[in-house]
Amino acid sequence: MHHGLTPAGENAVSELAGKYAISTDAVRAMLDAVNSGRGTMAQFNVPELGGSGQWMRGGMTMVGNMFDHGLKARVDGLCRDLSELLANNQVYPPAQTNSRPAGSWWPNELGSPSSSGGQNGSQYAYFPSARRLAILANGRLSVFDTLDHSIGGVQQAQGGGPGSLEFTSQFGTFTAASLPLVDPGNQNTPAPQQPAPQQTFSQPAPQASGSSAGSMSLDEVTSAIEALASLHNKGILTDAEFETKKAQLLGRI
């Protein structure tokens, strides 16, 4: 399901569909994927582009056929164009703050979630643009900073409270309790909290606002290399591809 677009966004989608010889639906799907990754990454499943794949700005591009270098270049070019489009244009209509969907329980300033739902007494709402995840459990509202996660799935886990839901992102499976808790009344100020439980993945550090687009922090590079190693262990990446991508990432520290 696609988000609505502004007229400028619709025009750009049509132009890119012609440029890359794919349907506007395929471009729209990729646009939503790049937007969910805040312009720096995308996880997608588009049949016209080889099925499932992943893109990271300045890093690796993965498609269904790892040896189809032409398709890799095509996906990389499209995602770069979409990232630039999102950075320089009002592609999605501004969120309507004076109207809320029926049954809304999250803070009004978060806007409209890209996905929401609930299981066994716990409700969640995900706001990728604001980098926030709202959880309502046992009548208690908690809002978390999602850092660099691009959440793509949710499932019920054992236990209660915010930790009873498990989420899936490009970094693996994690619970909301592993994320920084923020004050619902001030979405920019972290609230005091107990030390987070031991995490089951390597959590990336937020990118410093003054860093350049071509460089990455040590934590970001480490997380990316761990993701590559997982793909290598599964046989998705060859030895040569793994070493090449690892060297490229190490060169960006």
Side-chain angles (χ1 to χ4, degrees):
M1 181 172 64
H2 297 305
H3 299 286
L5 297 181
T6 62
E10 293 285 2
N11 290 337
V13 165
S14 296
E15 292 176 2
L16 290 173
K19 178 179 179 180
Y20 290 96
I22 57 178
S23 68
T24 55
D25 282 344
V27 176
R28 288 286 301 275
M30 293 298 290
L31 175 62
D32 287 344
V34 174
N35 182 61
S36 293
R38 296 185 293 279
T40 63
M41 63 182 66
Q43 290 180 299
F44 58 89
N45 190 342
V46 179
E48 292 180 52
L49 296 174
S52 61
Q54 183 174 340
W55 170 80
M56 182 182 296
R57 187 173 64 190
M60 63 179 181
T61 298
M62 296 179 56
V63 295
N65 182 355
M66 293 298 296
F67 302 102
D68 191 339
H69 300 293
L71 178 58
K72 283 186 183 180
R74 191 178 179 200
V75 169
D76 182 61
L78 174 59
C79 289
R80 286 174 180 270
D81 285 350
L82 291 172
S83 178
E84 183 177 354
L85 172 67
L86 289 164
N88 298 304
N89 297 273
Q90 182 70 48
V91 177
Y92 296 102
Q96 298 294 326
T97 58
N98 58 351
S99 62
R100 287 167 60 82
S104 299
W105 47 266
W106 49 84
N108 188 54
E109 58 266 28
L110 292 178
S112 298
S114 65
S115 62
S116 62
Q119 297 184 40
N120 294 346
S122 296
Q123 293 179 273
Y124 72 92
Y126 174 43
F127 307 85
S129 298
R131 298 202 327 175
R132 294 293 184 261
L133 174 66
I135 301 289
L136 182 64
N138 300 324
R140 180 181 177 185
L141 172 65
S142 303
V143 179
F144 300 88
D145 186 340
T146 57
L147 303 174
D148 286 336
H149 290 281
S150 179
I151 297 175
V154 60
Q155 61 188 14
Q156 186 73 33
Q158 296 297 325
S164 66
L165 293 175
E166 288 184 341
F167 300 89
T168 303
S169 74
Q170 72 273 28
F171 299 113
T173 300
F174 63 97
T175 63
S178 67
L179 301 174
L181 179 67
V182 296
D183 182 358
N186 185 348
Q187 295 305 313
N188 296 318
T189 304
Q193 61 171 332
Q194 297 294 327
Q198 183 177 1
Q199 301 173 20
T200 58
F201 63 94
S202 178
Q203 178 174 304
Q207 183 175 350
S209 58
S211 63
S212 62
S215 64
M216 298 173 67
S217 70
L218 180 60
D219 287 344
E220 289 174 324
V221 171
T222 300
S223 296
I225 290 177
E226 289 176 350
L228 285 173
S230 176
L231 296 171
H232 178 237
N233 292 336
K234 294 176 182 178
I236 297 176
L237 291 178
T238 65
D239 292 343
E241 287 175 325
F242 172 69
E243 292 299 332
T244 298
K245 294 300 182 182
K246 183 173 73 173
Q248 290 176 353
L249 289 167
L250 289 173
R252 297 179 61 194
I253 298 177

